Amino acid sequence: MDYSHSPARTLGGGGEEEEVGIECGKWVELPEDVMASILKRVGAIGILANVERVCKTWRNICKEPSMWRSIDMRNLGDIWDMDYDMVKICRHAVDRSSGALLRINIEYFGTDDLLLYIADRSTQLKSLRLVFCQNISDEGLIAAASKIPLLEELDLSYCSFSKAALEKVGHCCPLLRSFKLNTTGYRYPCIECDDEALAVAESMPGLRHLQMFGNKLTNDGLQAILDACLYLESLDLRRCFNVIVEGQMGRRCSERIKDLRQPNDSTDDYPFDSRFPHILWSDEEDYPCRFSDIDFMSDDDNYEFSFGSNFTEAYDEEDGWLF
């Protein structure tokens, strides 16, 4: 195939533009709507850091607000090793949307300022995904939620927000249909907390889909959700080991929920690392009574204990933890 050779620019380590050669001749002959559909699949980072610098045709396509109705800032979490500023790229992408942004995904680098920047310019936003965004505060989340009342899908996985903040979000966004609040699932210590479940029950009655992977809710929290969220169709309770979906509770869930994922169901389709963290516990009285010692370990590991039941013996002052 005959390709013409066209110069392009890409961002260097200091943010400056560097000339690179990229073959693009036949690509620019594609209809613009077809080319736009292809470029969208590259993602916001790839477009702004590289793709739009290939040629004038691609740059013009990438400037269209229709290209930025959905912004996916997916990354591997190595933001400190990147050659570009994720916050600046995200702001640029939001500006390109010209108020037409409907869906956005932020991972690892979210802050209060960035979230408010997005909310101020995206009042039509319907889907917000904030994953591993530990730098967003309760106040920042509440302030942003008050500006996006049309929100229908919200994912706050691996973040940390209070019950009060979640309730405020629910009240600010009455159209919420899907909510994800996933975290690391522990089998022990057996800590029970229904705060997040009660926040859902008290402020998100219109939910159709709820995912609370690894949550510490109990049957009381689950009961509150079932009582309040009458339209719930799918409920993911995997790794929620304080919940016992048996007897009357099991029957009610089976009757009400079309797609129910129970605490011990497979996690093969879960998008994050679902392995159990290795936490050493020394007080036998705090062991959850419904799990054996071997259940405390990762499903992928086999251990033979030769030092007795007191796990503190596995610590060495010079070498640290022995496993």
Side-chain angles (χ1 to χ4, degrees):
M1 185 176 293
D2 181 26
Y3 288 96
S4 62
H5 191 71
S6 175
R9 293 180 176 88
T10 186
L11 289 180
E16 70 278 3
E17 294 184 352
E18 298 174 347
E19 292 282 349
V20 297
I22 298 180
E23 296 177 340
C24 64
K26 292 295 182 180
W27 286 98
V28 299
E29 296 177 9
L30 290 173
E32 285 196 6
D33 58 336
V34 175
M35 196 67 249
S37 179
I38 294 173
L39 295 181
K40 285 179 182 178
R41 290 165 170 77
V42 177
I45 301 173
I47 290 175
L48 291 175
N50 294 299
V51 171
E52 70 168 19
R53 305 171 185 276
V54 170
C55 60
K56 184 177 180 179
T57 299
W58 286 12
R59 182 169 179 79
N60 289 337
I61 293 174
C62 292
K63 284 184 176 180
E64 289 295 322
S66 60
M67 285 284 294
W68 303 99
R69 289 175 182 164
S70 178
I71 297 175
D72 187 357
M73 300 293 294
R74 195 181 309 271
N75 64 87
L76 299 176
D78 53 346
I79 56 176
W80 304 113
D81 295 328
M82 293 182 178
D83 293 331
Y84 32 79
D85 188 323
M86 294 290 284
V87 172
K88 287 183 178 179
I89 288 182
C90 186
R91 288 181 178 232
H92 194 178
V94 171
D95 291 341
R96 288 275 182 93
S97 72
S98 299
L101 182 62
L102 299 177
R103 292 172 293 277
I104 189 165
N105 172 33
I106 305 293
E107 297 183 2
Y108 295 99
F109 64 92
T111 64
D112 287 354
D113 288 343
L114 177 61
L115 185 57
L116 194 59
Y117 188 91
I118 294 168
D120 282 337
R121 293 158 178 78
S122 312
T123 56
Q124 305 300 310
L125 194 66
K126 292 186 177 182
S127 178
L128 174 62
R129 186 172 186 264
L130 303 172
V131 178
F132 293 106
C133 293
Q134 296 292 335
N135 290 326
I136 297 179
S137 67
D138 283 357
E139 295 75 17
L141 181 66
I142 294 170
S146 67
K147 299 174 181 290
I148 46 176
L150 300 182
L151 197 67
E152 297 179 2
E153 300 175 0
L154 178 62
D155 187 344
L156 300 178
S157 295
Y158 300 94
C159 298
S160 180
F161 299 110
S162 69
K163 177 178 183 288
L166 296 178
E167 287 179 354
K168 284 284 188 180
V169 170
H171 292 311
C172 289
C173 306
L175 300 181
L176 270 182
R177 298 295 180 266
S178 175
F179 183 45
K180 295 182 179 181
L181 190 66
N182 302 318
T183 189
T184 303
Y186 294 89
R187 285 197 171 185
Y188 77 100
C190 192
I191 299 173
E192 299 178 350
C193 182
D194 284 316
D195 285 355
E196 293 162 337
L198 294 177
V200 170
E202 293 167 9
S203 66
M204 305 178 188
L207 287 182
R208 266 67 172 179
H209 310 285
L210 176 61
Q211 186 177 55
M212 301 185 74
F213 188 103
N215 198 271
K216 298 179 179 65
L217 83 162
T218 69
N219 277 35
D220 291 339
L222 177 56
Q223 184 73 49
I225 290 172
L226 294 176
D227 288 342
C229 303
L230 302 180
Y231 304 102
L232 204 59
E233 298 175 4
S234 68
L235 176 61
D236 192 343
L237 297 173
R238 285 176 294 177
R239 297 290 166 88
C240 297
F241 293 119
N242 294 329
V243 171
I244 303 176
V245 189
E246 299 174 355
Q248 184 178 354
M249 178 64 75
R251 288 191 295 274
R252 186 177 186 193
C253 288
S254 298
E255 293 170 358
R256 282 278 314 279
I257 310 299
K258 295 179 181 178
D259 182 12
L260 176 65
R261 310 296 293 274
Q262 299 201 35
N264 288 299
D265 283 355
S266 171
T267 61
D268 288 347
D269 62 345
Y270 188 63
F272 304 106
D273 187 352
S274 62
R275 292 174 297 179
F276 292 116
H278 293 316
I279 295 181
L280 303 183
W281 204 248
S282 61
D283 189 349
E284 292 184 2
E285 294 181 357
D286 290 330
Y287 285 5
C289 61
R290 58 182 178 274
F291 297 114
S292 66
D293 288 352
I294 197 64
D295 279 332
F296 295 155
M297 297 304 140
S298 167
D299 294 338
D300 299 326
D301 297 324
N302 294 314
Y303 291 96
E304 293 183 3
F305 299 108
S306 59
F307 47 84
S309 61
N310 188 340
F311 283 13
T312 57
E313 295 179 26
Y315 183 79
D316 183 272
E317 292 184 356
E318 294 184 0
D319 298 326
W321 296 110
L322 302 182
F323 59 86

